[in-house]
Amino acid sequence: MNRERFIEQVRKLLGDRWVITGAWETYPYSRDYWPLLVYRELRGLEHVSPAAVVLPETEEEVTEITRLAEENDIILVPYGGGSGVLGGAAPESDWVVVDLSRLNWIRWYDEKAGIVDVGAGVYLRLLEEWLQSQGRTLRHFPQSYPEAVIGGLVSTRSIGQYSTGYGGIEDMIVGLNIVIPRIGKLQVKPVPRRSVLLPLDHMFIGNEGLYGIITRVYLSTYELPECSEKVGWKNESFNDALENARIIVRKRIHPELFRIYDERESTLHFGEDGSISIGVIEGSCRIVEAKIEDLGELIGKDIRSGSSYAEKWLDKRFNVIEDLWKLYEVGMGFETIEVSVPWGWAYPLYTDSLRKLDSIEGLYFAGVHASHFYQSGAALYYTTAYSLEKIDDVYREIWDTLMEEASKHYGSISHHHGIGRMRLKYLKLEYGEEGIHFLRQVKKAVDPSSVLRDDPLRLG
Amino acid sequence: MHDVVKTFTRCALCPGVCVTYCPIYMNTHIRASAPNNLARLGLKYLKGYESYDPALWLCTGCRECEYNCPISNPLWNAARISRGKKSRVEAVKVETKNLGGRGSSLLVVSSIIPDQALVEYLKQFYSIHWLDTGSIYMAYWSGSEVQLNLDAFDYIIIDDLDVTPALIPGKLKGKVIYSIQLLEMMGYRSILENKAFVLHVPCKISVDGKELLINVSYKVLGKPIRTISKCIGGGGGLPEKHPVIASELVHSAMKGSRKDYLVVTLCSRAKTHLLSSGYQAKTPLDFIAGDMN
Ligand SMILES: Cc1cc2nc3c(=O)[nH]c(=O)nc-3n(C[C@H](O)[C@H](O)[C@H](O)COP(=O)(O)OP(=O)(O)OC[C@H]3O[C@@H](n4cnc5c(N)ncnc54)[C@H](O)[C@@H]3O)c2cc1C
Ligand code: SF4
Ligand code: SF4
């Protein structure tokens, strides 16, 4: 490794101001939003800061940085908004962070097609506001909407609160540019769809900075909906709520934003017994009206009567800090874990996993909601609160339990947070030996010197 | 009393809901200045990592984070209070002007410890009282209060308006001012009366303060004025980066605007930069001094 030389070369490339090595300036990059690291820091434990942070402004600079990194045997880790919850952007002490925040252009690629050309460093909130000022919308609203950036969102295959209506980020991407160490800048031009061997753009959605650095994304946008109505209702039980959701989705009259809460979370968030469902139905006014009527008829409920549940939730939908602080004040930490599962296994997974979670010592709360639905199944999102004093043990136990249960019930170990650092050890549950072998071989082919994080190569 | 650690801890626990509203972070790309990170560094600093403080000095106290925070966390205040843990010695660059009659009493409020050359100069005309705002912060940390009687002074120069009402609970008894924020307001009122001089004002101080400033400028110049609110101000300042950043901010704020507009900048460094870029620029001091001459 020749770090000094690398830093010197990048300084020449970017100018001194955009190469950071000082302690106070590199410290912010020492973690992302992985709760384990967040609480570690609050307990006063040390984090490692990266050796340096570089802030390129152009795609060419990113390409040159990866080339110089290979030449000097440096490991790079891309950093977006730092809202990833699994440690993916957290560096080791000899790594160099590539902060993409200066790749921050937003412009129409084809206004008529509604395709927008966005730099990887653009904050989602700013993109959405820009689009809305033009009468368009991305309709991608993850809870991290205020703090995540486009490159990070694409790299983790993220999903938003309106996913049941509009899909995940992968459904909005029509093309992208990615800098791959041995390949250079791969440009996949934006088109509505293609059938040309491997889908080179989609192959890299969710690559979490292991295979390349995404520099530019072409996103397809929607017209702002004419009407938007809130709905809500109560189900007897979570099992009922799941079954109702399945029927609704099957009939394709689902709300665009659709969430169901188990009994525990319904009590917690709405102070209600039973299992609450909420939704936002969007589109032309006539379609919205018709959908509300059909949906109500299908499940035999007045779904307008519960609109206040939806309102309550919408009010606080990006406000995470309030609850986290309340927990923290009484010595509790949180963790959220999302998995996906086919319909037939959703309820068995729910009951079996909760039973196991409930027996973990030091875990005070475990509840579930589902907020992303498909023809074939749903995502289950677990929210847990535990004693911070016992964090080291409880945390691992929660994870081990849920990953094993999801896998046992034919689910995926991750629905949208990705793997980061935390999920590496469960990768085999998802893809098996062959899958991991494939991931390794691809890595070896495109990044043999491990210029980008090399965790997959180190997997057991 | 403001619980600085609690304020910082809330932000450190937060993913940074407000980061895109922070003008400093969004314009400089210095991630340490993003509110949640600033708080993380603040906590470190209070724990003894002395060199982690520069981010605290980057905050202008514009309060955008607080306004866009789901729990209205007053981060800006915690940042300012924390600065007081360390006094900073920095050279003062001032435009020397004849500020008024010999023998008058003058109060200088500044975050900077007295600059001897300036003091000597001013002494020709005034009996001077130099109030180092750092000492007010120090007083806060040692649990005592600072009292000031404004009426004792004929003239006031306010360099640093960094101290906040929450710092010293804002009881205003008679003529004694407990809070520099109030003093700030008094300062502006004095400008209206052409009584005091503002040497350098960090931008984005308070909405009211700014309103007053605009009014004064308008009154003096008699024509519409465009103000810049994106400037980083002076404050204590980062020795190297600060002036560069301040200038760049102003420059980016001005992008695309007409050069025949008069720019009222609240930062003298920015003014210099603007002048060299072909804009017309004035600081409040220019108005007041101009009016007095
Ligand atoms: C409060 C909160 C709520 C959340 N809600 C959701 C949600 O509703 N839906 C959801 O999907 N996620 C959610 N997340 C998780 C997180 O926001 C997403 O994973 C998001 O996509 C991360 O974006 P980021 O810009 O912050 O990425 P970062 O955290 O900076 O990076 C994430 C990963 O991508 C890599 N990376 C970053 N930029 C690039 C790039 N340009 N090229 C290649 N790799 C890159 C990093 O190295 C890292 O491995 C939430 C997180 C928080 C804190
Ligand atoms: S001010 Fe509020 S929103 Fe901003 S970082 Fe702090 S707690 Fe989060
Ligand atoms: S008060 Fe400070 S941290 Fe908050 S938005 Fe303004 S400059 Fe940023």
Side-chain angles (χ1 to χ4, degrees):
Chain A
M1 185 190 303
N2 196 337
R3 195 190 306 147
E4 304 309 315
R5 191 163 136 233
F6 172 75
I7 289 175
E8 201 44 46
Q9 289 169 330
V10 182
R11 275 193 206 285
K12 271 201 198 114
L13 179 70
L14 306 180
D16 283 350
R17 172 153 167 213
W18 306 114
V19 180
I20 294 167
T21 51
W24 69 273
E25 278 188 282
T26 53
Y27 183 74
Y29 300 88
S30 63
R31 66 161 167 84
D32 56 6
Y33 200 70
W34 186 10
L36 206 56
L37 294 182
V38 174
Y39 291 121
R40 227 183 114 79
E41 180 176 84
L42 292 178
R43 283 188 293 162
L45 299 173
E46 274 301 305
H47 279 331
V48 291
S49 298
V53 180
V54 298
L55 294 96
E57 192 182 20
T58 64
E59 297 182 282
E60 289 63 41
E61 286 172 355
V62 176
T63 312
E64 183 60 8
I65 287 167
T66 53
R67 195 189 66 73
L68 292 173
E70 177 144 30
E71 192 179 296
N72 292 294
D73 199 15
I74 298 287
I75 295 183
L76 301 175
V77 58
Y79 204 97
S83 74
V85 287
L86 297 164
E92 291 185 6
S93 61
D94 53 353
W95 294 5
V96 171
V97 166
V98 185
D99 178 333
L100 294 146
S101 65
R102 293 175 72 215
L103 273 71
N104 58 1
W105 62 87
I106 305 176
R107 57 177 88 100
W108 286 119
Y109 171 79
D110 180 342
E111 191 168 356
K112 192 166 182 189
I115 297 175
V116 65
D117 167 359
V118 189
V122 170
Y123 275 95
L124 177 61
R125 186 183 80 78
L126 301 183
L127 171 63
E128 180 62 27
E129 283 183 5
W130 184 84
L131 287 171
Q132 293 204 10
S133 74
Q134 315 261 315
R136 306 287 299 184
T137 171
L138 188 60
R139 266 337 208 200
H140 190 59
F141 297 102
Q143 200 191 15
S144 51
Y145 171 73
E147 56 264 349
V149 310
I150 294 302
L153 290 159
V154 174
S155 303
T156 53
R157 217 160 189 271
S158 70
I159 203 157
Q161 294 161 346
Y162 286 71
S163 71
T164 303
Y166 299 93
I169 192 88
E170 67 276 17
D171 299 304
M172 297 152 192
I173 296 171
V174 288
L176 54 75
N177 289 0
I178 179 164
V179 172
I180 302 172
R182 271 291 160 94
I183 310 285
K185 185 171 78 174
L186 180 68
Q187 306 185 61
V188 189
K189 68 170 180 247
V191 290
R193 188 174 190 276
R194 60 165 57 80
S195 166
V196 190
L197 295 176
L198 293 179
L200 292 187
D201 48 356
H202 279 245
M203 266 180 75
F204 292 98
I205 301 174
N207 92 82
E208 295 191 50
L210 302 178
Y211 296 89
I213 300 181
I214 291 167
T215 48
R216 181 189 298 262
V217 185
Y218 298 100
L219 295 158
S220 141
T221 60
Y222 296 92
E223 212 158 90
L224 277 166
E226 186 192 5
C227 274
S228 175
E229 291 289 337
K230 299 170 200 83
V231 295
W233 66 91
K234 202 191 274 192
N235 310 276
E236 296 270 297
S237 64
F238 190 53
N239 195 16
D240 275 353
L242 277 169
E243 193 46 25
N244 278 337
R246 189 179 70 87
I247 297 167
I248 291 166
V249 172
R250 281 283 169 85
K251 287 269 186 223
R252 303 184 65 212
I253 50 172
H254 48 263
E256 277 51 50
L257 177 152
F258 190 15
R259 304 171 72 86
I260 62 176
Y261 294 85
D262 75 349
E263 289 87 342
R264 297 174 182 195
E265 289 206 11
S266 298
T267 310
L268 188 73
H269 297 306
F270 305 102
E272 295 278 4
D273 297 334
S275 177
I276 301 291
S277 296
I278 61 170
V280 176
I281 301 180
E282 293 187 338
S284 76
C285 297
R286 279 162 64 178
I287 288 183
V288 169
E289 276 308 306
K291 244 178 157 181
I292 291 178
E293 212 165 287
D294 277 9
L295 208 163
E297 215 167 86
L298 181 71
I299 57 169
K301 291 184 195 289
D302 172 11
I303 64 169
R304 283 185 202 274
S305 65
S307 64
S308 61
Y309 299 135
E311 244 154 54
K312 186 171 178 198
W313 177 81
L314 280 165
D315 246 14
K316 287 179 63 171
R317 67 187 173 131
F318 302 127
N319 174 0
V320 278
I321 183 60
E322 192 172 343
D323 291 340
L324 292 189
W325 178 251
K326 278 186 199 148
L327 287 175
Y328 186 76
E329 276 195 305
V330 293
M332 282 201 251
F334 84 102
E335 177 60 305
T336 55
I337 298 176
E338 27 57 73
V339 300
S340 71
V341 61
W343 282 120
W345 291 95
Y347 196 64
L349 168 61
Y350 170 74
T351 48
D352 289 353
S353 55
L354 271 197
R355 199 179 51 249
K356 292 217 164 129
L357 286 179
D358 286 347
S359 66
I360 296 176
E361 203 189 321
L363 183 77
Y364 294 133
F365 178 84
V368 175
H369 64 260
S371 47
H372 310 283
F373 299 99
Y374 308 88
Q375 290 297 305
S376 56
L380 295 189
Y381 192 96
Y382 294 76
T383 303
T384 61
Y386 50 82
S387 156
L388 275 175
E389 265 178 22
K390 300 193 175 144
I391 181 168
D392 293 329
D393 298 332
V394 183
Y395 200 81
R396 303 281 161 194
E397 268 191 76
I398 297 172
W399 270 97
D400 286 350
T401 305
L402 282 180
M403 294 299 92
E404 273 161 30
E405 287 302 308
S407 176
K408 240 194 255 170
H409 291 83
Y410 306 97
S412 170
I413 59 166
S414 174
H415 176 260
H416 60 261
H417 285 163
I419 59 158
R421 299 280 191 99
M422 184 64 221
R423 273 193 172 110
L424 281 176
K425 72 169 180 165
Y426 310 110
L427 254 189
K428 215 179 282 177
L429 293 175
E430 185 76 19
Y431 286 141
E433 289 289 355
E434 295 80 1
I436 293 182
H437 184 62
F438 177 80
L439 290 175
R440 275 200 200 125
Q441 291 306 314
V442 177
K443 175 82 177 170
K444 272 188 188 155
V446 300
D447 183 18
S449 322
S450 289
V451 168
L452 296 166
R453 273 174 58 197
D454 61 351
D455 314 40
L457 292 174
R458 286 194 259 139
L459 286 176
Chain B
M1 193 83 92
H2 187 123
D3 187 339
V4 175
V5 171
K6 180 174 165 183
T7 301
F8 277 156
T9 307
R10 286 162 143 188
C11 291
L13 186 61
C14 176
V17 175
C18 64
V19 292
T20 52
Y21 295 94
C22 175
I24 304 310
Y25 170 53
M26 292 313 286
N27 283 286
T28 64
H29 300 279
I30 298 176
R31 209 168 277 260
S33 69
N36 55 339
N37 290 323
L38 186 153
R40 292 171 61 202
L41 288 161
L43 284 174
K44 281 277 190 197
Y45 170 64
L46 294 181
K47 282 201 179 123
Y49 288 73
E50 288 279 307
S51 63
Y52 277 38
D53 75 321
L56 300 171
W57 293 84
L58 281 174
C59 170
T60 60
C62 71
R63 298 176 72 170
E64 285 296 331
C65 48
E66 182 188 359
Y67 301 145
N68 291 288
C69 171
I71 52 171
S72 303
N73 204 28
L75 171 65
W76 60 288
N77 204 18
R80 288 172 171 222
I81 293 170
S82 305
R83 292 179 197 170
K85 286 218 75 154
K86 194 169 171 184
S87 58
R88 296 174 68 90
V89 184
E90 240 203 35
V92 204
K93 277 192 213 135
V94 283
E95 298 165 55
T96 47
K97 299 236 181 214
N98 187 338
L99 298 171
R102 194 179 292 270
S104 322
S105 59
L106 170 71
L107 169 70
V108 182
V109 184
S110 173
S111 65
I112 300 158
I113 58 162
D115 174 273
Q116 277 319 310
L118 179 64
V119 171
E120 287 308 314
Y121 174 78
L122 292 172
K123 263 190 186 162
Q124 299 175 57
F125 314 104
Y126 306 101
S127 63
I128 295 185
H129 181 87
W130 192 294
L131 177 71
D132 168 14
T133 50
S135 67
I136 298 182
Y137 296 124
M138 297 297 177
Y140 169 83
W141 287 104
S142 64
S144 56
E145 284 189 349
V146 173
Q147 299 195 345
L148 268 177
N149 187 349
L150 263 191
D151 275 357
F153 302 96
D154 297 326
Y155 297 99
I156 309 163
I157 292 181
I158 303 172
D159 177 42
D160 182 4
L161 310 175
D162 255 8
V163 189
T164 68
L167 190 64
I168 307 160
K171 295 163 252 144
L172 182 63
K173 274 195 232 123
K175 296 254 163 75
V176 181
I177 309 292
Y178 287 83
S179 147
I180 296 288
Q181 192 91 37
L182 291 169
L183 197 147
E184 165 192 330
M185 293 310 301
M186 294 293 292
Y188 279 120
R189 239 164 257 138
S190 305
I191 299 172
L192 272 178
E193 295 153 11
N194 286 337
K195 188 182 168 201
F197 305 85
V198 174
L199 188 63
H200 171 85
V201 186
C203 58
K204 289 209 149 189
I205 359 132
S206 68
V207 177
D208 289 349
K210 209 162 129 189
E211 274 299 298
L212 268 167
L213 190 67
I214 293 167
N215 287 341
V216 175
S217 309
Y218 181 75
K219 197 176 137 206
V220 174
L221 286 166
K223 54 179 166 174
I225 286 158
R226 185 189 166 112
T227 61
I228 290 174
S229 55
K230 266 190 181 169
C231 137
I232 229 172
L238 283 174
E240 287 146 38
K241 289 199 170 159
H242 214 268
V244 184
I245 293 163
S247 305
E248 279 179 14
L249 283 185
V250 175
H251 207 53
S252 86
M254 287 304 294
K255 226 179 253 170
S257 60
R258 290 167 44 182
K259 292 209 169 172
D260 57 352
Y261 278 6
L262 175 73
V263 185
V264 181
T265 167
L266 305 174
C267 170
S268 53
R269 287 161 174 164
K271 177 183 128 180
T272 311
H273 179 83
L274 283 161
L275 287 174
S276 69
S277 306
Y279 291 101
Q280 297 178 51
K282 280 187 190 293
T283 61
L285 181 64
D286 296 328
F287 306 140
I288 309 304
D291 198 43
M292 296 285 286
N293 289 337

